[in-house]
Amino acid sequence: MNKYYIRLLIAIVIGIFMFSSCGKSPETASTNNPKQFTIVTSFYPMYVSAINVAKDIPGVRVVNMTEPQTGCLHDYQLSPSDLKTLESADVFVVNGAGMETFIDKAVGQMPSLKVIEASKGIELIKNSSDGEENPHVWVSITDAIKQVKNMSEQLALVNPDNSDKYNKNGEDYIKKLEALRDKMHKELDSIKNRDIVTFHESFPYFAKEFNLNIVSVIEREPGSEPSAGEIADTIEKIKKAKVKALFAEPQYSKKAAESIASQTGAKVYTLDPIVTGSQDGDIDGYIKKMEQNLKSLVEALKI
């Protein structure tokens, strides 16, 4: 064998040795670059709580399955892109209480998907119109706190490597929510006028939290205009109770509320059920919107 081939053989052997020594096996690469843990949330209010609970935890990301302007998911249908998002999830955080009616279908297609139901253990209120359980529990700050506690505890179990961080973040966010609740009670508890008319059945938990009396609801079903009979019934109730404030929602047209207001002398204000938000994932989105609700309520009820 001539010298050229000997040198070539030596170079190949050295190259193989260096590659096997310096290159990372899949196991080593996995150890040094741990797989990202992905939390998928169903819609905006769950997303805001989850980004607070998972705040600044390396390797953990939170993805909202739906667009932040989607709103409530009562009749939501899963899309192919939703299923693709869920396929990447290590855990799926939902409100529960009947909000995500598609959940059985999702779990059926992905039986290994871990689901955290944030409203688990919360006492539910039944709608006066149909007797069904109302899922809008997060609109009560007290129940939102319970949801955050559920999230942090369950995420700590599912992702034990970060259990201390989830629990610490959850405790920090709960303190902020408790301060918000105290602030709102301080400003609202002394107001004598407690009668309100809301746009949808989104506020029974909020009303219970702050001892408000919902005299009537303008639209029982979001997106469905009230009938002439329903409007007439609402007008009668408003006049009888001498209600001065109607609360529309920023996600829907104020047309029906303004029509009723013109016939009763009541004034239209805004209450946000916090089902939609900005694209930037503002970590204080819930608190800011609730502070706007406080401002609206104080203005409306002190007249």
Side-chain angles (χ1 to χ4, degrees), residues 147-232:
Q147 290 192 311
V148 171
K149 188 171 175 48
N150 280 337
M151 280 188 205
S152 58
E153 289 178 350
Q154 291 300 308
L155 285 169
L157 291 174
V158 176
N159 185 211
D161 289 346
N162 293 307
S163 60
D164 290 343
K165 296 183 181 71
Y166 289 125
N167 288 321
K168 176 64 166 57
N169 284 343
E171 289 170 2
D172 290 345
Y173 188 44
I174 285 171
K175 288 178 182 176
K176 292 171 71 174
L177 293 176
E178 288 173 339
L180 171 67
R181 181 179 60 189
D182 292 344
K183 175 184 177 181
M184 292 185 70
H185 272 292
K186 185 176 181 180
E187 295 201 39
L188 293 173
D189 286 355
S190 61
I191 295 176
K192 293 181 179 180
N193 176 22
R194 315 203 72 78
D195 292 336
I196 63 174
V197 172
T198 60
F199 202 62
H200 296 127
E201 288 190 310
S202 304
F203 291 95
Y205 297 93
F206 183 87
K208 181 180 178 182
E209 174 97 67
F210 297 107
N211 193 28
L212 300 172
N213 177 38
I214 299 177
V215 173
S216 185
V217 177
I218 297 173
E219 287 187 8
R220 297 291 178 179
E221 291 293 330
S224 62
E225 290 290 328
S227 67
E230 289 171 333
I231 290 178

Coordinates of all heavy atoms in Angstrom, one line a residue, residues 147-232:
Q147 N -59.0 29.5 40.3 CA -58.5 28.9 39.0 C -57.0 29.0 38.9 O -56.4 28.0 38.5 CB -59.1 29.7 37.8 CG -60.6 29.4 37.7 CD -61.2 30.0 36.4 OE1 -60.9 31.1 36.0 NE2 -61.9 29.1 35.6
V148 N -56.4 30.1 39.4 CA -55.0 30.2 39.4 C -54.3 29.2 40.3 O -53.3 28.5 39.9 CB -54.5 31.6 39.8 CG1 -53.0 31.7 40.0 CG2 -55.0 32.7 38.7
K149 N -55.0 29.0 41.4 CA -54.5 28.0 42.4 C -54.5 26.6 41.7 O -53.6 25.8 41.8 CB -55.3 28.0 43.7 CG -54.8 27.2 44.8 CD -55.5 27.5 46.1 CE -55.1 26.6 47.2 NZ -53.7 26.4 47.4
N150 N -55.7 26.3 41.1 CA -55.8 25.0 40.4 C -54.7 24.8 39.3 O -54.1 23.7 39.2 CB -57.2 24.9 39.7 CG -58.3 24.5 40.7 OD1 -58.0 23.9 41.7 ND2 -59.5 24.8 40.4
M151 N -54.5 25.9 38.5 CA -53.5 25.8 37.5 C -52.1 25.5 38.0 O -51.4 24.6 37.6 CB -53.4 27.1 36.7 CG -54.5 27.3 35.7 SD -54.2 28.8 34.7 CE -55.9 29.1 34.2
S152 N -51.7 26.3 39.0 CA -50.3 26.2 39.6 C -50.1 24.8 40.2 O -49.1 24.2 40.0 CB -50.0 27.3 40.6 OG -51.0 27.3 41.6
E153 N -51.1 24.3 40.9 CA -51.0 23.0 41.6 C -50.9 21.9 40.6 O -50.1 21.0 40.7 CB -52.1 22.8 42.6 CG -52.1 23.7 43.8 CD -53.2 23.5 44.7 OE1 -54.2 22.8 44.3 OE2 -53.2 24.0 45.9
Q154 N -51.7 22.0 39.6 CA -51.8 20.9 38.6 C -50.5 20.9 37.7 O -50.0 19.9 37.3 CB -53.0 21.0 37.7 CG -54.3 20.6 38.5 CD -54.3 19.2 39.1 OE1 -54.0 18.3 38.3 NE2 -54.5 19.1 40.4
L155 N -50.1 22.1 37.3 CA -48.9 22.2 36.5 C -47.7 21.7 37.2 O -46.8 21.1 36.7 CB -48.7 23.7 36.0 CG -49.6 24.1 34.9 CD1 -49.5 25.7 34.7 CD2 -49.3 23.4 33.6
A156 N -47.6 22.0 38.5 CA -46.5 21.5 39.4 C -46.5 19.9 39.4 O -45.4 19.3 39.4 CB -46.7 22.0 40.8
L157 N -47.7 19.3 39.3 CA -47.7 17.8 39.3 C -47.3 17.3 37.9 O -46.6 16.3 37.8 CB -49.1 17.4 39.6 CG -49.6 17.6 41.1 CD1 -51.0 17.2 41.2 CD2 -48.7 16.8 42.0
V158 N -47.8 18.0 36.8 CA -47.5 17.5 35.5 C -46.1 17.8 35.1 O -45.4 17.0 34.4 CB -48.5 18.2 34.5 CG1 -48.1 17.8 33.0 CG2 -49.9 17.9 34.8
N159 N -45.5 18.9 35.5 CA -44.1 19.3 35.2 C -43.3 19.5 36.5 O -43.0 20.6 36.9 CB -44.2 20.5 34.4 CG -42.8 21.0 33.8 OD1 -42.6 22.2 33.7 ND2 -41.9 20.0 33.6
P160 N -43.1 18.4 37.2 CA -42.5 18.5 38.6 C -41.1 19.2 38.6 O -40.7 19.7 39.7 CB -42.4 17.0 39.0 CG -42.4 16.2 37.8 CD -43.3 17.0 36.8
D161 N -40.4 19.2 37.5 CA -39.1 19.8 37.5 C -39.2 21.3 37.8 O -38.2 22.0 38.3 CB -38.4 19.7 36.2 CG -37.9 18.2 35.9 OD1 -37.9 17.5 36.9 OD2 -37.6 17.9 34.8
N162 N -40.4 21.9 37.5 CA -40.6 23.3 37.8 C -41.7 23.6 38.8 O -42.2 24.7 38.8 CB -41.0 24.0 36.4 CG -39.9 24.0 35.4 OD1 -38.8 24.5 35.7 ND2 -40.1 23.5 34.2
S163 N -41.9 22.6 39.7 CA -43.1 22.7 40.6 C -42.9 23.9 41.5 O -43.9 24.6 41.7 CB -43.2 21.4 41.4 OG -42.0 21.2 42.2
D164 N -41.7 24.2 42.0 CA -41.5 25.3 42.9 C -41.8 26.6 42.2 O -42.4 27.6 42.8 CB -40.1 25.3 43.5 CG -39.9 24.2 44.5 OD1 -40.9 23.6 45.0 OD2 -38.7 23.9 44.8
K165 N -41.4 26.7 41.0 CA -41.6 28.0 40.2 C -43.1 28.2 39.9 O -43.6 29.3 40.1 CB -40.8 27.9 38.9 CG -39.3 27.8 39.1 CD -38.6 27.8 37.8 CE -37.1 27.7 37.9 NZ -36.7 26.4 38.3
Y166 N -43.8 27.1 39.6 CA -45.3 27.3 39.3 C -46.0 27.8 40.6 O -46.8 28.7 40.5 CB -45.9 26.0 38.9 CG -45.5 25.5 37.5 CD1 -44.9 24.3 37.2 CD2 -45.7 26.3 36.4 CE1 -44.6 23.8 36.0 CE2 -45.4 25.9 35.1 CZ -44.8 24.7 34.9 OH -44.5 24.3 33.6
N167 N -45.7 27.1 41.7 CA -46.3 27.5 42.9 C -46.0 28.9 43.4 O -46.8 29.6 43.9 CB -45.9 26.5 44.0 CG -46.6 25.1 43.8 OD1 -47.8 25.1 43.4 ND2 -45.9 24.1 44.1
K168 N -44.7 29.3 43.2 CA -44.3 30.7 43.6 C -45.0 31.7 42.7 O -45.5 32.7 43.2 CB -42.8 30.8 43.5 CG -42.2 32.2 43.7 CD -42.5 32.6 45.2 CE -41.7 33.8 45.6 NZ -41.9 35.0 44.7
N169 N -45.0 31.5 41.4 CA -45.6 32.4 40.5 C -47.1 32.5 40.8 O -47.7 33.6 40.7 CB -45.4 31.9 39.0 CG -44.0 32.2 38.5 OD1 -43.3 33.0 39.1 ND2 -43.7 31.6 37.4
G170 N -47.7 31.3 41.1 CA -49.2 31.3 41.4 C -49.5 32.2 42.6 O -50.4 33.0 42.6
E171 N -48.6 32.0 43.6 CA -48.8 32.8 44.9 C -48.6 34.3 44.6 O -49.4 35.1 45.2 CB -47.8 32.3 45.9 CG -48.1 30.9 46.5 CD -46.9 30.4 47.3 OE1 -45.9 31.1 47.5 OE2 -47.0 29.2 47.8
D172 N -47.7 34.6 43.8 CA -47.4 36.0 43.5 C -48.6 36.7 42.8 O -49.0 37.8 43.1 CB -46.1 36.2 42.7 CG -44.9 35.9 43.4 OD1 -45.0 35.9 44.7 OD2 -43.8 35.7 42.8
Y173 N -49.1 35.9 41.8 CA -50.3 36.5 41.0 C -51.5 36.5 41.9 O -52.3 37.5 41.8 CB -50.5 35.6 39.8 CG -51.5 36.2 38.8 CD1 -51.5 37.5 38.5 CD2 -52.5 35.3 38.3 CE1 -52.5 38.0 37.6 CE2 -53.5 35.9 37.4 CZ -53.4 37.2 37.1 OH -54.4 37.7 36.2
I174 N -51.7 35.6 42.8 CA -52.9 35.6 43.7 C -52.8 36.8 44.6 O -53.8 37.4 44.8 CB -52.9 34.3 44.5 CG1 -53.4 33.1 43.6 CG2 -53.8 34.4 45.7 CD1 -53.3 31.7 44.2
K175 N -51.6 37.2 45.0 CA -51.5 38.4 45.9 C -52.0 39.6 45.1 O -52.6 40.5 45.7 CB -50.1 38.5 46.3 CG -49.7 37.5 47.4 CD -48.2 37.7 47.8 CE -47.8 36.6 48.8 NZ -46.3 36.7 49.1
K176 N -51.6 39.7 43.8 CA -52.1 40.8 43.0 C -53.6 40.8 42.8 O -54.2 41.9 42.9 CB -51.4 40.8 41.6 CG -49.9 41.0 41.7 CD -49.2 40.7 40.4 CE -49.5 41.7 39.4 NZ -48.7 41.5 38.1
L177 N -54.1 39.6 42.6 CA -55.6 39.5 42.5 C -56.3 39.9 43.8 O -57.4 40.5 43.8 CB -56.0 38.1 42.0 CG -55.5 37.8 40.6 CD1 -55.9 36.3 40.3 CD2 -56.1 38.7 39.5
E178 N -55.7 39.5 44.9 CA -56.4 39.8 46.2 C -56.3 41.3 46.4 O -57.3 41.8 47.0 CB -55.6 39.0 47.3 CG -55.9 37.5 47.3 CD -55.0 36.8 48.3 OE1 -53.9 37.3 48.7 OE2 -55.4 35.7 48.7
A179 N -55.3 41.9 46.1 CA -55.2 43.4 46.2 C -56.2 44.1 45.3 O -56.9 45.1 45.7 CB -53.8 43.9 45.9
L180 N -56.4 43.6 44.1 CA -57.4 44.1 43.2 C -58.8 43.9 43.8 O -59.6 44.9 43.8 CB -57.3 43.4 41.9 CG -58.5 43.6 40.9 CD1 -58.4 45.1 40.4 CD2 -58.4 42.7 39.7
R181 N -59.1 42.7 44.3 CA -60.4 42.5 44.9 C -60.7 43.4 46.1 O -61.8 44.0 46.3 CB -60.5 41.0 45.4 CG -61.8 40.6 46.0 CD -61.8 39.1 46.4 NE -60.7 38.9 47.4 CZ -60.3 37.6 47.8 NH1 -61.0 36.6 47.3 NH2 -59.4 37.5 48.7
D182 N -59.7 43.6 47.0 CA -59.8 44.5 48.1 C -60.1 45.9 47.7 O -61.0 46.6 48.2 CB -58.6 44.5 49.0 CG -58.4 43.1 49.7 OD1 -59.3 42.4 49.7 OD2 -57.2 42.9 50.2
K183 N -59.4 46.4 46.6 CA -59.6 47.7 46.1 C -61.0 47.9 45.6 O -61.7 48.9 45.8 CB -58.6 48.0 45.0 CG -58.8 49.3 44.3 CD -57.8 49.4 43.1 CE -58.0 50.7 42.3 NZ -57.1 50.9 41.2
M184 N -61.5 46.9 44.8 CA -62.9 47.0 44.3 C -63.9 47.0 45.4 O -64.9 47.7 45.3 CB -63.1 45.9 43.3 CG -62.2 46.0 42.0 SD -62.5 44.8 40.7 CE -64.1 45.4 40.1
H185 N -63.7 46.1 46.4 CA -64.7 46.1 47.5 C -64.7 47.4 48.2 O -65.8 47.9 48.6 CB -64.4 45.0 48.5 CG -65.0 43.7 48.1 ND1 -66.3 43.4 48.2 CD2 -64.4 42.5 47.7 CE1 -66.6 42.2 47.8 NE2 -65.5 41.6 47.5
K186 N -63.6 48.0 48.4 CA -63.5 49.3 49.1 C -64.3 50.4 48.4 O -64.9 51.2 49.1 CB -62.0 49.7 49.2 CG -61.8 50.9 50.1 CD -60.3 51.2 50.2 CE -60.0 52.5 51.1 NZ -58.6 52.8 51.2
E187 N -64.3 50.3 47.1 CA -65.0 51.4 46.3 C -66.4 51.1 46.1 O -67.2 52.0 45.9 CB -64.2 51.6 45.0 CG -62.8 52.2 45.2 CD -62.3 52.9 44.0 OE1 -63.1 53.6 43.3 OE2 -61.1 52.8 43.6
L188 N -66.8 49.8 46.1 CA -68.2 49.4 45.7 C -69.1 49.1 46.9 O -70.3 49.2 46.8 CB -68.1 48.2 44.8 CG -67.5 48.4 43.4 CD1 -67.4 47.1 42.6 CD2 -68.3 49.4 42.6
D189 N -68.5 48.7 48.0 CA -69.4 48.1 49.1 C -70.3 49.2 49.7 O -71.3 48.9 50.2 CB -68.5 47.5 50.2 CG -67.9 46.2 49.7 OD1 -68.3 45.7 48.6 OD2 -67.1 45.6 50.5
S190 N -69.9 50.4 49.6 CA -70.6 51.5 50.3 C -71.7 52.1 49.4 O -72.5 52.9 49.8 CB -69.7 52.6 50.8 OG -69.0 53.2 49.7
I191 N -71.7 51.7 48.1 CA -72.7 52.3 47.2 C -74.1 51.7 47.4 O -74.2 50.5 47.5 CB -72.2 52.0 45.7 CG1 -70.9 52.8 45.4 CG2 -73.3 52.5 44.7 CD1 -70.3 52.5 44.1
K192 N -75.1 52.6 47.5 CA -76.4 52.1 47.9 C -77.1 51.5 46.6 O -77.9 50.5 46.7 CB -77.2 53.2 48.5 CG -76.7 53.7 49.8 CD -77.6 54.8 50.4 CE -77.1 55.2 51.8 NZ -77.9 56.3 52.3
N193 N -76.9 52.1 45.5 CA -77.6 51.7 44.3 C -76.9 50.4 43.7 O -75.7 50.5 43.3 CB -77.6 52.8 43.2 CG -78.2 52.3 41.9 OD1 -78.9 51.4 41.8 ND2 -77.8 53.0 40.8
R194 N -77.5 49.3 43.8 CA -76.9 48.0 43.4 C -77.6 47.3 42.3 O -77.3 46.2 41.9 CB -76.8 47.1 44.6 CG -76.3 47.8 45.9 CD -75.7 46.9 46.9 NE -74.3 46.5 46.4 CZ -73.2 47.2 46.5 NH1 -73.2 48.4 47.0 NH2 -72.1 46.6 46.1
D195 N -78.6 47.9 41.6 CA -79.3 47.3 40.5 C -78.7 47.6 39.2 O -78.4 48.8 38.9 CB -80.8 47.9 40.5 CG -81.6 47.4 41.7 OD1 -81.2 46.4 42.3 OD2 -82.6 48.1 42.1
I196 N -78.5 46.6 38.4 CA -77.9 46.7 37.1 C -78.6 45.8 36.1 O -79.3 44.9 36.4 CB -76.4 46.4 37.1 CG1 -76.1 44.9 37.4 CG2 -75.6 47.3 38.0 CD1 -74.7 44.5 37.3
V197 N -78.5 46.2 34.8 CA -78.9 45.4 33.7 C -77.7 45.0 32.8 O -77.0 46.0 32.4 CB -80.0 46.1 32.8 CG1 -80.3 45.3 31.6 CG2 -81.3 46.3 33.6
T198 N -77.4 43.8 32.6 CA -76.3 43.4 31.9 C -76.6 42.9 30.5 O -77.8 42.7 30.2 CB -75.5 42.2 32.6 OG1 -76.4 41.1 32.7 CG2 -75.0 42.7 33.9
F199 N -75.7 42.8 29.6 CA -75.9 42.5 28.2 C -76.1 41.0 28.0 O -77.0 40.6 27.2 CB -74.7 43.0 27.4 CG -75.0 43.2 25.9 CD1 -76.0 44.1 25.5 CD2 -74.4 42.5 24.9 CE1 -76.3 44.3 24.2 CE2 -74.7 42.7 23.6 CZ -75.7 43.6 23.2
H200 N -75.3 40.2 28.6 CA -75.4 38.8 28.5 C -75.3 38.2 29.9 O -75.1 38.9 30.9 CB -74.2 38.2 27.7 CG -74.2 38.6 26.3 ND1 -73.1 39.1 25.7 CD2 -75.2 38.5 25.4 CE1 -73.4 39.4 24.4 NE2 -74.7 39.1 24.2
E201 N -75.5 36.9 30.0 CA -75.4 36.2 31.3 C -74.0 35.8 31.6 O -73.6 34.7 31.9 CB -76.3 34.9 31.3 CG -77.8 35.2 31.3 CD -78.6 34.0 31.5 OE1 -78.5 33.0 30.8 OE2 -79.5 34.1 32.3
S202 N -73.1 36.9 31.5 CA -71.7 36.7 31.8 C -71.3 37.2 33.2 O -70.2 36.9 33.6 CB -70.9 37.5 30.8 OG -71.2 37.2 29.5
F203 N -72.2 37.8 33.9 CA -71.8 38.5 35.2 C -72.5 38.0 36.5 O -72.4 38.7 37.5 CB -72.1 40.0 35.0 CG -71.2 40.6 34.0 CD1 -71.6 40.8 32.7 CD2 -70.0 41.1 34.4 CE1 -70.8 41.4 31.8 CE2 -69.1 41.7 33.5 CZ -69.5 41.8 32.2
P204 N -73.1 36.8 36.5 CA -73.6 36.4 37.8 C -72.6 36.2 38.9 O -72.8 36.5 40.1 CB -74.4 35.1 37.5 CG -73.8 34.6 36.2 CD -73.4 35.8 35.5
Y205 N -71.4 35.7 38.5 CA -70.3 35.5 39.5 C -69.8 36.8 40.0 O -69.5 37.0 41.2 CB -69.2 34.6 39.0 CG -69.7 33.2 38.6 CD1 -70.1 32.9 37.3 CD2 -69.7 32.2 39.6 CE1 -70.5 31.6 37.0 CE2 -70.1 30.9 39.3 CZ -70.5 30.6 38.0 OH -71.0 29.4 37.7
F206 N -69.7 37.7 39.1 CA -69.2 39.1 39.4 C -70.2 39.8 40.3 O -69.8 40.4 41.3 CB -69.1 39.9 38.1 CG -68.5 41.3 38.2 CD1 -67.2 41.5 38.2 CD2 -69.4 42.3 38.3 CE1 -66.7 42.8 38.4 CE2 -68.9 43.6 38.5 CZ -67.6 43.9 38.5
A207 N -71.5 39.6 40.0 CA -72.6 40.2 40.8 C -72.6 39.6 42.2 O -72.7 40.4 43.2 CB -73.9 40.0 40.1
K208 N -72.4 38.3 42.3 CA -72.3 37.7 43.6 C -71.1 38.2 44.4 O -71.2 38.5 45.6 CB -72.2 36.2 43.4 CG -72.2 35.4 44.7 CD -72.1 33.9 44.5 CE -72.0 33.1 45.8 NZ -71.9 31.7 45.6
E209 N -70.0 38.4 43.7 CA -68.8 38.8 44.4 C -69.0 40.2 45.0 O -68.5 40.5 46.2 CB -67.7 38.9 43.3 CG -66.4 39.6 43.8 CD -65.3 38.5 44.3 OE1 -64.8 37.8 43.4 OE2 -65.1 38.5 45.5
F210 N -69.7 41.1 44.3 CA -69.8 42.5 44.8 C -71.2 42.9 45.2 O -71.6 44.1 45.3 CB -69.3 43.4 43.7 CG -67.8 43.3 43.4 CD1 -67.4 42.6 42.3 CD2 -66.9 43.6 44.4 CE1 -66.0 42.4 42.0 CE2 -65.5 43.4 44.1 CZ -65.1 42.8 43.0
N211 N -72.0 41.8 45.4 CA -73.4 42.0 46.0 C -74.2 43.0 45.1 O -74.9 43.9 45.6 CB -73.3 42.6 47.4 CG -74.7 42.5 48.1 OD1 -75.5 41.7 47.8 ND2 -74.9 43.4 49.0
L212 N -74.2 42.7 43.8 CA -75.0 43.5 42.8 C -76.2 42.7 42.4 O -76.2 41.5 42.4 CB -74.1 43.8 41.6 CG -72.9 44.6 41.8 CD1 -72.0 44.7 40.5 CD2 -73.2 46.0 42.3
N213 N -77.3 43.4 42.1 CA -78.5 42.8 41.7 C -78.8 42.9 40.2 O -79.0 44.1 39.7 CB -79.7 43.4 42.5 CG -81.0 42.8 42.1 OD1 -81.1 41.6 41.8 ND2 -82.0 43.7 42.0
I214 N -78.7 41.8 39.5 CA -78.9 41.9 38.0 C -80.4 41.8 37.8 O -81.1 40.7 38.0 CB -78.2 40.7 37.3 CG1 -76.7 40.8 37.5 CG2 -78.6 40.7 35.8 CD1 -75.9 39.6 36.9
V215 N -81.0 42.9 37.5 CA -82.5 43.0 37.3 C -82.9 42.3 36.0 O -84.0 41.6 36.0 CB -82.9 44.5 37.2 CG1 -84.4 44.7 36.9 CG2 -82.6 45.2 38.6
S216 N -82.1 42.4 35.0 CA -82.5 41.8 33.7 C -81.2 41.6 32.8 O -80.2 42.3 33.1 CB -83.5 42.6 32.9 OG -84.0 42.0 31.8
V217 N -81.3 40.7 31.9 CA -80.3 40.5 30.9 C -80.8 40.8 29.5 O -81.9 40.2 29.1 CB -79.8 39.0 31.0 CG1 -78.7 38.8 29.9 CG2 -79.2 38.7 32.4
I218 N -80.1 41.6 28.7 CA -80.7 42.0 27.4 C -80.6 40.9 26.4 O -81.6 40.6 25.8 CB -79.9 43.3 26.9 CG1 -80.1 44.4 27.9 CG2 -80.3 43.6 25.5 CD1 -79.2 45.6 27.6
E219 N -79.5 40.3 26.2 CA -79.4 39.2 25.3 C -79.0 37.9 26.0 O -77.9 37.8 26.6 CB -78.3 39.5 24.2 CG -78.7 40.5 23.2 CD -77.7 40.6 22.0 OE1 -76.7 39.8 22.0 OE2 -77.8 41.5 21.2
R220 N -79.9 36.9 26.0 CA -79.6 35.7 26.7 C -78.5 34.9 26.0 O -77.7 34.2 26.6 CB -80.9 34.8 26.8 CG -82.0 35.5 27.7 CD -81.6 35.5 29.1 NE -82.6 36.2 30.0 CZ -82.5 36.3 31.3 NH1 -81.4 35.9 31.9 NH2 -83.4 37.0 31.9
E221 N -78.6 34.9 24.6 CA -77.6 34.2 23.8 C -76.7 35.2 23.1 O -77.2 36.0 22.3 CB -78.3 33.3 22.8 CG -79.0 32.1 23.4 CD -78.1 31.1 24.0 OE1 -76.9 31.0 23.5 OE2 -78.5 30.4 25.0
P222 N -75.4 35.2 23.3 CA -74.5 36.1 22.6 C -74.7 36.0 21.1 O -74.7 35.0 20.5 CB -73.1 35.6 23.0 CG -73.3 34.9 24.3 CD -74.7 34.3 24.2
G223 N -74.8 37.2 20.5 CA -74.9 37.3 19.0 C -76.4 37.2 18.5 O -76.6 37.4 17.3
S224 N -77.3 36.9 19.4 CA -78.7 36.8 19.0 C -79.5 38.0 19.5 O -79.6 38.2 20.7 CB -79.3 35.5 19.5 OG -79.4 35.5 20.9
E225 N -80.1 38.8 18.6 CA -80.8 40.0 18.9 C -82.0 39.6 19.8 O -82.7 38.6 19.5 CB -81.2 40.7 17.7 CG -80.1 41.4 16.9 CD -79.5 42.6 17.7 OE1 -80.3 43.2 18.4 OE2 -78.3 42.8 17.5
P226 N -82.3 40.3 20.8 CA -83.5 40.0 21.6 C -84.7 40.3 20.8 O -84.8 41.2 20.0 CB -83.3 41.0 22.8 CG -82.5 42.1 22.3 CD -81.5 41.5 21.4
S227 N -85.8 39.5 21.1 CA -87.0 39.7 20.4 C -87.7 41.0 20.9 O -87.4 41.5 22.0 CB -87.9 38.5 20.6 OG -88.3 38.4 22.0
A228 N -88.8 41.4 20.2 CA -89.5 42.6 20.6 C -90.1 42.3 22.0 O -90.2 43.2 22.9 CB -90.6 42.9 19.6
G229 N -90.6 41.1 22.2 CA -91.2 40.7 23.6 C -90.1 40.8 24.7 O -90.4 41.3 25.8
E230 N -88.9 40.3 24.4 CA -87.8 40.4 25.4 C -87.4 41.8 25.7 O -87.2 42.1 26.9 CB -86.6 39.5 24.9 CG -86.9 38.0 24.9 CD -85.8 37.3 24.2 OE1 -85.1 37.8 23.3 OE2 -85.6 36.1 24.5
I231 N -87.4 42.6 24.7 CA -87.0 44.0 24.9 C -88.1 44.7 25.7 O -87.8 45.5 26.7 CB -86.9 44.8 23.5 CG1 -85.6 44.3 22.9 CG2 -86.8 46.3 23.8 CD1 -85.3 44.9 21.5
A232 N -89.4 44.4 25.4 CA -90.5 45.0 26.2 C -90.4 44.6 27.6 O -90.7 45.4 28.5 CB -91.8 44.6 25.5

